[in-house]
């Protein structure tokens, strides 16, 4: 892959957009939790850590394969209305 064709590097745009939409900067992030199978890929973890200036949570504290499902019921409870 070239840098422009590298899907990991391209994900940086998604991180930037999410931060912009939320009105946040990397230093505003308290915790980084990666989910899904690719969260175990060392290149992904390193890229996100460098991009946000914070290491993702270790796997002994968060199961990347189930945490999305565990958190899904909480989201509607937090939304007004």
């Amino acid at each position: 892959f070239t840098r422009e064709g590298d899907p990991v590097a391209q994900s940086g745009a998604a991180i930037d957009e999410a931060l912009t939409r939320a009105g946040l900067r990397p230093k505003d992030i308290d915790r980084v939790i990666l989910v899904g199978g690719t969260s175990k890929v060392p290149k992904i973890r390193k890229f996100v850590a460098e991009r946000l200036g914070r290491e993702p949570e270790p796997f002994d504290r968060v199961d990347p394969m189930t945490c999305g499902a565990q958190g899904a019921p909480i989201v509607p409870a937090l939304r007004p209305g």
Side-chain angles (χ1 to χ4, degrees):
F1 289 113
T2 64
R3 180 104 174 125
E4 294 159 358
D6 182 354
V8 175
Q10 290 174 352
S11 69
I15 293 171
D16 293 342
E17 182 178 347
L19 289 171
T20 298
R21 286 184 177 200
L24 298 172
R25 294 168 292 180
K27 70 177 190 170
D28 298 324
I29 304 297
D30 293 327
R31 293 175 69 193
V32 176
I33 301 172
L34 299 179
V35 299
T38 57
S39 65
K40 293 186 176 187
V41 176
K43 183 176 180 179
I44 303 271
R45 295 182 66 78
K46 181 179 181 207
F47 178 81
V48 172
E50 289 172 355
R51 191 73 172 211
L52 296 176
R54 178 174 302 280
E55 290 291 325
E57 290 289 319
F59 294 126
D60 63 341
R61 296 187 62 199
V62 176
D63 180 353
M65 301 308 284
T66 62
C67 69
Q70 292 172 345
I74 297 170
V75 174
L78 297 176
R79 290 194 176 157

